[in-house]
Structures are given as C-alpha cells and as structure tokens.
Amino acid sequence: MARKQVKGISYAKYGYLFSIPFIVAFVIFSLYPTLYTATLGFTDCKGLGNNNWHFLSDPFENFKNVLSNNSFITSLKNTVAIWIMNFIPQITIALLLTAWFTSRSNEIKGKGFFKVVFYMPNIITAATVAILFNALFSYPVGPVNDILVSLGLRDAAYQFSVDKSASRIIVAFIQFWTWYGNTMIILISGVLGISPDIYEAAEIDGANGVQTFFKITIPNIKTVLLYNLVTSLVGGLNMYDIPKLYLNGGPDNATLTANVFIYNQAFSGSYMYNKAAAASMIMFVIISICSAILFWIMRDRDEAKIQKEIKAAKKAAKKGV
Amino acid sequence: MSVVKKDAGSRAFLISAYIFCGLLTVLSLIPFVIMIVNATRSTTQIQQHAISLIPGTNFMKNFAVLTSKTFNPWKGFINSLIISVGVTACTVYFSTMTAYAVVAYEWKLKKPFFTLIMCVLMIPATITSIGFYQFMYKIGMTNNFLAIILPAIASPPTVFFMRQYMIPSLPMEILQSARIDGAGEFRIFNQIVLPMMKPAMATQAIFAFVSSWNNLFLPSILLTKNDKYTMPIMVSLLTGDIYKTEYGAIYLGLFLTVLPLLVVYFLLSKYIIAGVALGGLKG
C-alpha cells in the first residue's frame, strides 16, 4: 500500500546505488583474489615478486603434487583430528551447562557471572593465547610442570613439546577452552526461544528434568545445534593462529594444520605460491561443501513459507475466477 | 517424605553444578592469573617457581627488557587501533547501507545479489590470501593499512545480520513521509535509518572491532615492516629466539596485548554476551 502512494518515481536505482560500495569492494578484494588464487594454482609462479610466470603444460600438476604431498595429507588429518578432539568435549560441556542454566526446577545463582567468565577466553587474541599456553607448558620449568610435580602426579618435569599426541591434545584443548563459552551462550539462547507452554505441558505430564531435556529441549534446538556444528567445522578447517604460534606445526608435523601448511608453502622458504594456491583451492572446495550445507540449514524458512502461501493464494484466486 | 527426598536430590544437584562451574571458572581464569602475576616477577623467580600468587616487583625491569628489543607495544597498539577503527567503521556503515538496499527497495537483481551474499558468507579470507597478496604486491599496497581496512566494506555476515534486524524494525511509513517532505534517499538513510539501527550497529561494531584487533593471518602476510606491525604480530615475536629465556618479559608482553581487550570486555560484557546470543539465533 505504502509503496503505491508514490507511484511514478522508480526507486529501483537506489537499490543498485546503495549496493555499489559492497559490490565494488567484493569484486576487488574478494572475487578477483579468489580467481587469481585459482589461476596461480595452474602456473609455475614461485619466488618473491615473480611476475614472469607461465601456465604449466600439465595444468593439474600442482594439484596432484599437493594431494600426493605427505605433509599436506598429514595436515588435513591433523586438522580434522584436532577439530574432533575439540568439538566433542566442547558440545558436551556446553549442552550440560545449557541444561543446568535453563533448568526450571533448580535455579542456579550467578549465571550471569559464569557466562561472563566462560566466554572471556573467546575474546582474547588467539595468538596471545597460543603463546601463553606455550609458556604454561614450558620445560623444564613451567606452571603446568610445577603443578604436576608438586601434587606428586609426576616425579620429574615432562617435556610436552616433543610429545606428538600431547601437542595435538593441547592444541585441541586450547580450541575447546576458547570456544565452549561461546557455544554455551548460543545454545542457551536457542533454549530460551522454545515456547514455555511445551515445558509446562511436560511438567503436567510428570516428565522429570532429564526426560524433558532429551525429549523436548534437544529436538527443539536441532537447528541451533546444526548451525553450531557447521560454523565450528568451517572455523576448525581454518585453524591457523593457535597451531602456528603454539609450536609452529611441530613436533614432527603433529600440529600442522592445512592453513599452516599453506602459509609455510607460500610465505617461508622457497615461496611456492603455485602449490599454496592449489592447496588453497582444495580447501576452498572442502569449505564450500560445508558452507553449502550451512546455507541449506539457514535458508530463510519464513520467507519460503510466505512465497508458498502467496503462490497458493494466487492459484486459489485463479480457480475462483 | 517425597518432598524431603526431592529437596535432598536438588541440593546434591546444585552442589555438584556449583562445583563443576567453579572448576570451569578456575580453568578459564587461571592462565590469565598466572600471566599477570608472572609479568611482575623476575625470570629467576619464575624459573624457581613458575606458579605463584604473590606478585613480584620486577614489573618495570621486565618492561625494560621487553621494549629493549623488537617488541614495541605502543606502536603495535596504535597500528592495531588505526586498523580496527577503520575496519569497524567500514564494516558497520557499509553493511547497514547494503542491508538497506536489500530491504527497502525493489530491484531486479536483488534476489541474486542476496543469494551471492549468502553463498560467500562462510568463505574465509585466508583461503584467497595467495591471490590477495600477489595482487596487493603488484599494486604496491603491501605495508599499507588500507589493504586491510578497505576489504571490510564488503562483509557478508554483517550484511546478513543487519538485514535480519532491519526487516521487522524499519517502518516503511516513516520513509514515505520523509520522501513526501522532500528528503533525498541518501539523507533518509543517513538521518533516519542509521539512528534507528543503532542497537544492531553497536553489537556489530564490538564484534568487528574485536575480530579485527585479533586478526593475525592477513596482517602478518601484508605488513612486513617493523613500524607497521599490529598487536598480534608483535605477540608472535615473543615466540622467537630473541626472548627465549626472558620469561618475565614474555609474560609481560602477553599481558600488554591482552590488557585493552580485558578492559573492553569488562566494560561491555553484558552487550557482548547479548550479541553472541542474538547472532546464534540467525539460524
């Protein structure tokens, strides 16, 4: 109705005008670099400031090279392994805290305080956190070793930095430590969005806390859980700051993630831009698949519903005529 | 009888819940406590007992050791501040503008445009960094803050958030009456729409600022000169051989990089946590 009052003037051009800055910035800083990266993946471009590069006679040489590179395969495996080791405890503890903090029968006091404290690690620079943990686990004298020895858990200090599994676990733990508060807050807000009527009905039916949680809460926050899973996965595939600065991918590539591999290929040693670009594109495909899933989950349900209703109404109107 | 039983049960539940939350609280805080206390202790003290709750008196000495080498906290702070303020301003202003173009106007390519935004929502900048770096190198934009600030004009997640917020809260009637009063479209956006979007813009501003402040990957690729280093790049210097045994100085360096964030967090934690909760509901 409102739009029809000023018929005669088309406002469509302002739609285009107001999106120009976004489009220009997107094309220059995002689309072009993406295509450029893809192109470099097919060339022999290496070395600092090299502008004289050519396409390879076998265009997929770099891709084959990267996919058969043991370090890259290790880095992919590490990325996934570290992500799983961080995600399972993270979602479990976040769910447990969510159940407690939204419990209707047992009100926990100080929820606000706990939320602030649990979320805090998330806001601290990941680079700082990685180096801080490196210092905490340092050998022969470090805070963690100090605790272990003085509690009698170990006779002598342990050199964490040469133990492959310990290093992976510590990196996964740092990820867990920085993200569980964030996950918890998102899950709590999902639970608070559930209609209280459902819970009242369950209470009248005599369901206990555990039953209510598994039969009502979990099914109702499925979307939020899935959203969390996919954002965490995409973030996990991009892990860089923590493994890079904790032990620079070591010991013996145990904490080398895909992004650390790409960085090391391109920006250190022999500046293999072409191989790094090919590896980037492989990661791009993997992440695109993951974000396609996310897109599908987050699709605008209300709008799709309205569109359907409009269509149905139009059909009905046609039939009426 | 059953009433008593239930009370005992819920008391046991509450006690175990508090113990667990207490443990997590210690886990969340202890690394920072160790960091802050050790920042004031001398390296020899730390080497004897790495954990202590009693602050030392070596704060100034550690500071002198720290700043005598490449680590320049003041420079890093200023550089990070310039970049983060620039990124925040670009992200918030232009994302609101783009969301407004999608919400307030009917235009032919609107649907495909919005689909594009949704598609690139999750594509991280790190993946395209090789091409980005080569491109910036070619046009001489390395070691230039604009190479990090300007890309923030197109930030799909913020546009998505702004659109979600704008749809229910922007009354078209007000825009119509402003048009009848003769206001131009650009003025309507700046003087009517922006003030109405303030709460959403504040939330997004906090997140844009913090994530830009913490960003390491792109700045570490593009900014190679000492005097352009941001705070996270300064921090990464602490792992090198230069500070190998200067534990006190390392802890102090870490503390200095965390300090501005801790101040911001304790001033704004209420809004930050509300913002996280809001962001998660976009699903």
Side-chain angles (χ1 to χ4, degrees):
Chain A
M1 272 300 278
R3 257 177 211 130
K4 276 180 188 162
Q5 280 173 5
V6 272
K7 233 185 176 178
I9 312 163
S10 167
Y11 287 101
K13 69 170 180 197
Y14 291 105
Y16 292 100
L17 207 64
F18 281 152
S19 31
I20 282 176
F22 181 97
I23 293 169
V24 171
F26 175 73
V27 168
I28 296 176
F29 296 111
S30 194
L31 186 64
Y32 178 69
T34 310
L35 298 175
Y36 199 9
T37 308
T39 312
L40 286 173
F42 298 102
T43 67
D44 61 356
C45 175
K46 49 187 137 183
L48 201 58
N50 179 354
N51 275 322
N52 184 28
W53 41 265
H54 308 278
F55 284 96
L56 295 163
S57 49
D58 174 8
F60 291 101
E61 196 186 308
N62 291 322
F63 291 87
K64 284 178 201 160
N65 234 315
V66 167
L67 284 173
S68 61
N69 184 326
N70 281 333
S71 298
F72 182 69
I73 302 299
T74 310
S75 78
L76 269 184
K77 280 184 192 156
N78 286 338
T79 309
V80 174
I82 291 172
W83 177 72
I84 290 173
M85 284 195 289
N86 124 63
F87 188 73
I88 291 173
Q90 182 188 320
I91 199 82
T92 313
I93 287 181
L95 272 173
L96 185 69
L97 292 171
T98 305
W100 286 351
F101 285 8
T102 56
S103 165
R104 293 158 61 88
S105 49
N106 293 302
E107 182 85 15
I108 289 181
K109 284 188 187 117
K111 274 184 273 190
F113 168 79
F114 288 130
K115 280 188 197 173
V116 169
V117 172
F118 297 168
Y119 182 75
M120 193 174 77
N122 197 243
I123 210 158
I124 305 299
T125 318
T128 305
V129 169
I131 296 168
L132 177 59
F133 273 81
N134 185 302
L136 294 180
F137 282 95
S138 65
Y139 173 87
V141 204
V144 174
N145 271 321
D146 233 32
I147 294 176
L148 290 178
V149 173
S150 57
L151 287 181
L153 291 170
R154 282 198 64 84
D155 298 334
Y158 186 71
Q159 197 169 2
F160 290 97
S161 60
V162 294
D163 185 327
K164 287 172 77 166
S165 343
S167 303
R168 266 193 214 116
I169 291 170
I170 292 168
V171 171
F173 174 79
I174 301 173
Q175 292 277 349
F176 156 81
W177 183 74
T178 40
W179 285 100
Y180 78 94
N182 182 295
T183 308
M184 175 195 79
I185 290 168
I186 291 171
L187 294 183
I188 289 176
S189 80
V191 173
L192 294 181
I194 302 171
S195 158
D197 298 352
I198 308 177
Y199 285 109
E200 266 159 36
E203 247 164 53
I204 291 166
D205 290 344
N208 66 28
V210 178
Q211 283 172 327
T212 319
F213 185 72
F214 283 102
K215 296 272 163 67
I216 295 174
T217 306
I218 298 261
N220 272 295
I221 55 168
K222 229 189 227 161
T223 320
V224 183
L225 279 173
L226 272 169
Y227 163 80
N228 231 300
L229 172 78
V230 182
T231 43
S232 168
L233 179 63
V234 174
L237 289 172
N238 267 303
M239 216 183 312
Y240 171 77
D241 300 14
I242 289 170
K244 172 80 184 170
L245 290 178
Y246 178 62
L247 284 175
N248 197 10
D252 193 19
N253 285 352
T255 59
L256 184 80
T257 60
N259 260 349
V260 177
F261 174 85
I262 291 170
Y263 180 91
N264 288 346
Q265 287 284 318
F267 302 107
S268 67
S270 46
Y271 301 96
M272 309 286 257
Y273 294 116
N274 52 353
K275 279 189 191 141
S280 293
M281 281 303 114
I282 294 165
M283 289 312 287
F284 185 88
V285 170
I286 296 173
I287 289 172
S288 297
I289 293 168
C290 294
S291 54
I293 299 168
L294 178 69
F295 179 52
W296 181 78
I297 293 167
M298 297 211 307
R299 72 196 183 280
D300 213 325
R301 291 214 172 91
D302 296 336
E303 198 156 280
K305 220 176 172 184
I306 291 167
Q307 291 289 333
K308 248 186 200 169
E309 272 165 17
I310 290 171
K311 260 187 192 168
K314 271 184 186 165
K315 252 187 195 171
K318 258 185 191 169
K319 267 184 193 166
V321 172
Chain B
M1 269 306 272
S2 71
V3 173
V4 175
K5 225 178 191 176
K6 203 195 166 206
D7 275 356
S10 63
R11 184 169 297 158
F13 163 81
L14 278 179
I15 289 172
S16 49
Y18 282 125
I19 290 175
F20 190 73
C21 289
L23 284 176
L24 283 178
T25 305
V26 171
L27 194 66
S28 288
L29 295 180
I30 198 89
F32 298 115
V33 173
I34 294 174
M35 174 184 77
I36 294 168
V37 172
N38 279 354
T40 64
R41 300 169 74 217
S42 75
T43 299
T44 15
Q45 279 173 325
I46 295 169
Q47 275 173 334
Q48 279 158 0
H49 288 284
I51 283 196
S52 167
L53 292 176
I54 309 147
T57 50
N58 264 56
F59 187 83
M60 290 318 290
K61 225 182 228 168
N62 287 340
F63 191 77
V65 173
L66 181 71
T67 49
S68 67
K69 294 166 187 176
T70 35
F71 191 93
N72 186 343
W74 186 236
K75 192 92 216 165
F77 182 81
I78 295 290
N79 288 343
S80 278
L81 197 65
I82 294 169
I83 291 177
S84 299
V85 167
V87 165
T88 306
C90 284
T91 307
V92 172
Y93 184 77
F94 288 105
S95 296
T96 312
M97 185 185 250
T98 314
Y100 182 64
V102 174
V103 173
Y105 302 105
E106 290 303 324
W107 38 296
K108 233 187 194 166
L109 296 174
K110 180 170 126 169
K111 262 264 155 69
F113 178 63
F114 188 66
T115 310
L116 171 89
I117 291 178
M118 289 295 291
C119 285
V120 294
L121 200 60
M122 298 303 299
I123 304 298
T126 45
I127 289 303
T128 61
S129 60
I130 309 297
F132 187 72
Y133 171 77
Q134 288 279 325
F135 176 40
M136 290 299 130
Y137 189 86
K138 227 196 236 165
I139 59 172
M141 289 269 280
T142 53
N143 287 312
N144 188 334
F145 291 161
L146 286 178
I148 296 167
I149 294 172
L150 291 179
I153 291 171
S155 83
T158 316
V159 175
F160 182 79
F161 180 91
M162 285 297 179
R163 173 186 172 268
Q164 300 297 88
Y165 187 89
M166 208 183 270
I167 288 174
S169 61
L170 189 70
M172 291 297 165
E173 291 76 17
I174 292 181
L175 306 185
Q176 286 305 334
S177 54
R179 276 174 192 159
I180 290 161
D181 291 346
E185 295 299 306
F186 196 64
R187 229 185 97 193
I188 292 177
F189 173 72
N190 278 324
Q191 294 184 355
I192 298 173
V193 179
L194 279 187
M196 277 162 50
M197 296 296 290
K198 252 184 203 161
M201 287 167 72
T203 309
Q204 289 300 304
I206 297 172
F207 286 106
F209 189 90
V210 170
S211 66
S212 163
W213 184 278
N214 288 341
N215 193 11
L216 172 69
F217 193 83
L218 268 187
S220 73
I221 289 170
L222 289 171
L223 308 174
T224 50
K225 279 189 192 147
N226 273 349
D227 63 327
K228 300 281 180 184
Y229 282 175
T230 60
M231 225 38 173
I233 303 178
M234 289 287 177
V235 171
S236 65
L237 295 175
L238 295 173
T239 53
D241 292 330
I242 331 167
Y243 292 98
K244 197 113 211 174
T245 52
E246 298 289 354
Y247 291 116
I250 291 176
Y251 282 112
L252 179 62
L254 294 172
F255 174 57
L256 290 179
T257 60
V258 167
L259 191 62
L261 288 167
L262 288 182
V263 171
V264 168
Y265 188 57
F266 284 114
L267 290 175
L268 301 174
S269 60
K270 215 173 163 185
Y271 303 96
I272 292 173
I273 289 187
V276 177
L278 211 61
L281 276 182
K282 66 189 170 192

